[in-house]
Amino acid sequence: MSEMPYGTLSSSMLWKIFYIMQCAEMDGLEKLSCSLSAEDCIQGLREPSHQEKFQCWLSEINSSDGICLLTTFAHMAQPRRTDVDPEFVRNIVLEIYEVSYVSITTREIFSKVGRELLAAIATAHPHIIFVLLERLRKTIEKVGMVSLYLFKELPLHLWTPARAEVGLIRDWLLNFSLTAVENRLACIILEGLNWGFQPNGCLNLPASLHNEVALLVIEAYQKYLTDKPYGGILSEGIKQVSYLANVVRLGQTPESSFNQWAWDLVLRLKLHANEICPQDAWCPLPSSGAPSVPEITDAPTMHPVFKAVKAGIPIGCFLAIDMTTIGHSLEKFCSEGISLLKTLVQSRHLKAVVHILENILPLVYHCQFYLLKNEQFLSCIQLFLQLDSGTQGVTQQVTQKVTQHLIGTSTCENIKLLNSVIQAHILESSRPGRVGAVAVLEFWLQVLTEQNLWYRDKAVLYLLDHLCCAAFLHQQEECLQKLLYQQHKSALGFHGDKGLLSSLMGWIVAGNITPSFIEGSSLTGEVWFAWLVLNMETMFEEDSQLRRCVEHELLSNPAYTPDQALKKAQVRLKLQVVPSLQRLMIYRWAQQALATPADHPLLPLVWQKFFQLYLRQPGPEFGLEMKGCIGRRYFHSAAHLSLLNSLRQRLVEVSDFHHAASKALKVPCSSAESSDGLLTPGTPITQYMTSPELHTELVRLFTVFALWLDDENLQKQEIYLPSLPKQYDTHRLAKIMQRQQEVWMEHVDIERVQHELQEVLSLWSKAKSEPALSQNTSSSIFTDFINPLAARERILTQLRKHDAPQGALLLVPMKAPVPDIPTESLSEEKISTALIQEDLAKLQHQAKLATVRETQQVALDNELLEVLPQLYMNREDQLSMQLECRGKGGQPCQGPAHVTVKVGCLNQIQCLKSDIKQLQADGIKAPPQSLAEAAVHTENFITALVNVYKLNPSPGILKVGITAFYQIVSFVCEDTQRHPPTRQFFTSCIEILGQVFIRDVQSECKQMLKTILLNRHLCNLLSPYFTPNASPAELVSLYEEVVSTLHIDSGDVIFMLLTKFDLTHWLSVTQPQFSERSRLMEIIHQALCTCGLEPEPEVLMPFNIFCKHWTELLLYQFPDHYSDFLRLLMQSSSEQLLSPDCWRTSLRGLGCSPHPVINTNKTRSILLSPQQVDETLEWLSKYFLKLRLSNGDFRSFGLLSKWVPYIEEVKKFWEDLITYFIDLEYALIHPRCSPWLESDAAAAASLVSLYARLMETMHEKFKDRLLPGQRGALWFHLMHYCETCTSPKMPEYLLYTYHTEYSRLPWKDLHPDQTLMNQFFNVERGSPKSCFLFMGELLCEVNWVSVLSDSLSPQLSPSAQTMVVSVLYLMVFLAKEDLSKPESSVLSLLEQSASLPWHLVDFDSYQNVTRYVNTHYPASLVLSHDTSSQHVIKLLRMAAGFGTTTQMLHHKDMTLKCQAFLHLMVQFLTSLDQSGNISLASLETEMEKLLEYIVIFNPPETDLQQRHMATCSLFAEMLTLLNEAGMSTADLLLHRWEAVSGLPNCLSICGLMECVISSCSGPADEAKLFLWWHKFLELLQIQVDQEDTCALDTLILTSMAFQNRLAQLSEERLNSGILGAIGLGRKSPLSSRFRVVARSMSAFFLVQVPSENQLRLHPGTELQLSAKAQQALLVLEQMPSNKQYSELHVFVNQAIQFIKYPGHSLRDSNRLLTLLVNALYTDLNYLDIIR
């Protein structure tokens, strides 16, 4: 029943259920009428008898049932609804209260659960607390002390008491004794109220209630504790616990509990105006105070407070400051409040003092002198620090320790709270509109340093350390340094306010010779303070010139120690105080670096400060030579050397620490770095872990520091920093040596510092916050699972268990590094020009500086080259040395001996070093920030301009873009072009603006052309944006302007501009008028004349463009401009103004061929029509005639002298015109036809015969008169025949007549050349076959031995070689046609082949011949016994090099040609075998012939290995025959091969196997290789059995070659190609079992060849394994471990046993192969020959 959704029921139904649940067990359900009304239920519940019966019944039933029933009642009242009946809730609450606390019979059982249920109901309905309070007032005698626990459990923080309820609490507090329940209950109620703020910042309870309760507390305090002051040590030490806990604490008196309760409560009350409105705390009030704040003497309500103040009661003093004008007016606080504050401090109410300071000090910071000059206030702060830190007198210290032992507290708690307040004030004051952090920092520094020997007070140092940390974070260290600087000077006696003697005596008493605010050599805990003080003292050391003077003494006197140099400096500077050596800053920073904890954020900066002094190079300051750093000179004595070693060791320790931290490891803090007490600021309240990345960077930094510290070269000599290794971090080292004072903030863990500051701030926030409100655990039982709001509540409850989200970071307004682009600048030309003018000037200036620096560098390099030979020289020098001794015989040494020696010293010229250093410094110097800003600003302007133009292409924006383009162009000069960054930037800007605003803009073509012509050096940059075609109307004028500037010096510029004119596009699109085109032709003609007769190389490219444009314009709408073209061409040529190239280009455009005309039947494709040709011929004739008659010189001497340059072109022009004219006339008048009809063949034959005899007569008459090489009548006759009679359509009856008569001529006297042979080949390709046969027959009669005699001469010409190839083609062509004829003239031709120089035939030609034979001859050619076929085979064999007549000659490509011959033969035989057209006997016969050819083959190579490989390549061709044949045939042929060839040695078969193995493509045919291996091993056995020692080297070479190939085959991946070379080749296609065989055989051969000159030919007792053999065996043994070989492990182990057996030698190699084949390849029958 307790889990039922009662929130869904109506009020009347709830009354009924509530009544029924109580009466059901007592009266029974049968007595309860169904018509029971809600009023009846209410009336029945109010009857006293009913209550007694119900309580009696509860006492009798089971306790768990009773608890369940009460829980159900509570659940009925718990849901929060707007329509809930308050009377119903009140009734349930009172019912549970009566049962749990009033009824004697039930309260023992239900008191605890009743408390929880009432608390849960009160959480939903806080108003019922008043109901309980009113009921308790009546029954408190019965309830007693148990009521305290009840109200402690109730959610009082949700309740706002009314005035009547406050009155009741007041009555209980004032009118009942401290031990009375009423008094204690009043204390618990007031303690449980929420005195804090709501989420919106307003007080949860009214401010008037805060004041009323405060006055109530002071009244009760004076009533009960006036004569019993409990403001001593104990009251301050008791921790903040609840009043109820103090009441029940054993040994705690009521007075002490009440005292503690009163102080805890008033400190929680918000009484001060600055607490109520914190945002107004930093606005100073008028001196008279705010009118709402009462005066302590005038306001009647303040009488209890005034009375308490007069009595000196501390709590009254606190309330007087917090509630009256004393704490709200700075004047009143100074006059009256400080004494009250002192009372609080003396009575040890230090937390209250912190409260007051938090509220008062915001009024003080803007006028600090009020309190800084108040000695009483300063003494209060001093006493506060002494009391809380335990630094008071001996008696007080003893008392303090006793108190700590009794109450278990620790010191410095309030100092930490004060520090938290100070940090909060610093943070709040830095907000806009407030006094600023500097005021707070200066105030507290002056307050804390007013006491004597403050630098020894740990509490003061603790606060100062946090002050310095805050100053560092807020970048306000300078204000603190100034104040400490003045105090430091005062301590040294530099001011008159303190005498020198008193200052010195104070410091001498303190134990220091030289004063310092750091006790000892360093500070371990207060590192932030030490950082500030050391920086201040460094400034003082620089201002006093002390360090500068010491360094000068050390440099001037190399023998001086630092102590001596310090004394000399003291004398020179006339210092009033003798400085201590240990007080020099280089030692101070070193000691601080050792003392700073490894995890402190400031440690990198402390080391930086040390190295700024250690790596100083002060030489140039004093005009001395720079000889390295000076830091090492300070570490001279043993103590200082020990310090230096400690520094090195410390760097190692710190690096180790950060290395471990970067791995996120817990590094225990060493005892030296552990903090003493609670005053170490570096110890965070909650654990914080720095990012591993920062730890890694710190490891790198401290490693670099260690390198700097260990490198002696940095100290002894000047180092060229760029030459140092990367690990030296030369960039940072240069900053150190250049004395850059900027701290390296990137290595400071700012996040950790901010985290620690946040922890400090949270201390006071937690102290001020309301105590944690205990959540009623029983409320979870009443969760409403039906109401959606309950679900929301559940979610929120879960979320409250997590940490609250952090607020957003403060937005710090920052100035943009680059100003924004004004909108008006994008449309106003003047604004945009002014906007980027300065930026462009900066960029140009930077380029000029770079150019000057480059010029200086070049000049310096030249000077250095001159001086370099004299850079070093030897110079004799005289040195004086002292030789000391230790004495002798106990007698001391009387003094060192002085010896003078002369030595040769190295002298180095230093004249250029400073210049080089300066240039180096300038070179590595980063460009100024303004330069980057200028570039980005200009780029932003261009980007914005382009974007807005794309969105809105208005004329105004276009004008701005055009102006910006030309403005940037005006800044481009030679310097900007030489400086790559500036050149790139300007080029990009011009490119963007040009593409958007200039290119293809009609109005800008003329301006762009003018800009380019004025700035010709920018042509490459600007020419892409010159688009004359965008302005068609201006194109001719633009072209004219370009032509007018044509000069030899501007050829490249004119060429670039001309490439932008697209005349073809202009003519086709614009279609200009004839007049405009004519004007353009005149302009182009003028340009061509300007280029001259022989254009200079500089204008050759523009000249070609002019010619192209000239031709394009001529051909446009031809022949519009033909007449003008011809006129201009002839006029300028007559004066030799034009180049002949212009003629050539023009004629080519007209269709005239540049080649000479030959006698062909084809007509020209000239552009001119017949009429135009006729008119041109007429016009040219008249022009030349007129020109001849125009001048007396021309009439006398002719025109050739003037027209010599153009004669060839004019001749070609005339020739084409006349030829074209004649062809036209011939075609019209003489159509071609046959010479006779077929019926007139007999008559025509006599005439042809007559013509033939005429040719013969001419031949006979002139053959003896011809010189060698001249062509005779037969040659011309045959050429005429080829040109006129070999047409494809020539009638056959005509050819028959010609061939019959022409064949009778003496063709044996014909001397063919290559031209004639080419004609023959043309006839073979495209003429009638009868023509081909006719020419073939007559060429067979030629004496080719005589014709080719020139090819045998030592001076071989290419034409002779070509003729030999042509004869070979001739024989092959004719033999194909003659195979079926038993007798023919071809036989005589083939018989001459034995005497012809076939060695001149190259491989490519021979290969083409074999391909022709393969495709045009039948395969049976090799078997044919007719003479012609045998002659063809013989011809091919001799041409390849297998002949016997040319063995003494160098046969060109002999090996390749022989290989091609064998390839052809094998192809024929293979084809016959596969088709079954050859018997085995014939196949064996032909194979024997081929093998005989190979045996007698004599390779042309001289190297033995090459000769073997040549022979092997021929064998490889033969193997194709075996591979393609069947198994039985191949086996018989193989045996026959062995019997015939004998194979000269194993090297040949090894090379043969290279070819065979390469043909293996995968597992399908991999086993065939074993046959070859078997044959190879048999041949190897034969060689071994011969025991020829001379052939030992060959055997070793053969064996290792075979082993190497086996090793390649055994690899997992192919090793071919680039990927194979690096082990990433394709997976081997061979099977795993094949690789096992190959790897085993390879290992066996490695074992049998122990060395390069040794073979194991006989068994032995032990094996001598080489390194390669051992490796091969190891790989073989590891194979079974591989997954793919695991199934073959048995066979692998057998192979290993065989290989390792010493009784096996090289002779047993075939046995191993047989073993492996039998084991792994049992399924292949063709391997039986091995088995």
Side-chain angles (χ1 to χ4, degrees), residues 363-379:
L363 308 175
V364 178
Y365 290 131
H366 70 284
C367 47
Q368 305 176 5
F369 59 89
Y370 277 95
L371 295 184
L372 291 177
K373 300 299 182 181
N374 194 312
E375 294 293 337
Q376 191 176 11
F377 175 76
L378 296 176
S379 64

Side-chain angles (χ1 to χ4, degrees), residues 857-873 909 911-912 916:
Q857 181 72 50
V858 172
L860 187 61
D861 288 345
N862 295 332
E863 187 176 355
L864 186 61
L865 289 175
E866 296 177 1
V867 181
L868 196 60
Q870 304 174 357
L871 183 60
Y872 296 100
M873 62 178 61
I909 298 176
C911 60
L912 298 179
I916 296 175

Side-chain angles (χ1 to χ4, degrees), residues 879-899:
L879 300 176
S880 297
M881 303 179 64
Q882 293 182 357
L883 302 179
E884 297 183 357
C885 67
R886 300 179 181 178
K888 186 176 181 182
Q891 296 296 327
C893 179
Q894 298 180 357
H898 296 274
V899 180

Side-chain angles (χ1 to χ4, degrees), residues 1264-1283:
D1264 297 332
R1265 301 176 183 271
L1266 297 176
L1267 297 176
Q1270 285 187 325
R1271 297 165 177 173
L1274 293 178
W1275 187 91
F1276 285 105
H1277 172 63
L1278 194 56
M1279 287 295 294
H1280 178 264
Y1281 166 80
C1282 292
E1283 293 174 0

Side-chain angles (χ1 to χ4, degrees), residues 578-597:
V578 179
S580 171
L581 180 64
Q582 295 303 320
R583 289 297 183 186
L584 291 180
M585 293 313 300
I586 189 171
Y587 302 123
R588 303 293 302 281
W589 284 113
Q591 294 289 353
Q592 188 58 46
L594 291 176
T596 304

Side-chain angles (χ1 to χ4, degrees), residues 228-328:
K228 304 181 182 67
Y230 290 91
I233 303 172
L234 295 179
S235 64
E236 179 64 26
I238 296 176
K239 295 182 179 180
Q240 185 178 0
V241 296
S242 67
Y243 173 75
L244 183 58
N246 281 334
V247 169
V248 300
R249 178 181 293 176
L250 296 177
Q252 189 83 355
T253 64
E255 289 79 5
S256 64
S257 298
F258 185 81
N259 174 68
Q260 182 65 37
W261 170 84
W263 273 108
D264 289 343
L265 184 59
V266 297
L267 290 177
R268 288 173 57 195
L269 297 176
K270 306 301 181 286
L271 306 174
H272 199 279
N274 290 347
E275 285 187 292
I276 299 173
C277 298
Q279 63 273 15
D280 299 334
W282 295 90
C283 300
L285 296 176
S287 58
S288 60
S292 61
V293 180
E295 291 279 353
I296 190 172
T297 55
D298 298 343
T301 56
M302 293 292 111
H303 176 70
V305 178
F306 178 70
K307 180 180 176 182
V309 169
K310 290 184 65 176
I313 300 176
I315 197 170
C317 298
F318 171 76
L319 293 177
I321 297 174
D322 233 18
M323 298 178 66
T324 67
T325 56
I326 296 176
H328 292 75

Side-chain angles (χ1 to χ4, degrees), residues 338-370:
I338 294 179
S339 59
L340 303 180
L341 182 68
K342 187 173 184 180
T343 301
L344 288 173
V345 174
Q346 290 174 342
S347 60
R348 298 181 179 275
H349 290 285
L350 304 183
K351 188 174 181 181
V353 174
V354 177
H355 272 268
I356 292 173
L357 292 178
E358 183 201 17
N359 297 326
I360 288 294
L361 290 181
L363 308 175
V364 178
Y365 290 131
H366 70 284
C367 47
Q368 305 176 5
F369 59 89
Y370 277 95

Side-chain angles (χ1 to χ4, degrees), residues 38-54:
E39 290 76 13
D40 297 337
C41 295
I42 295 172
Q43 187 63 32
L45 291 171
R46 289 176 179 175
E47 293 179 1
S49 60
H50 173 79
Q51 293 291 335
E52 293 176 1
K53 291 171 59 179
F54 178 67

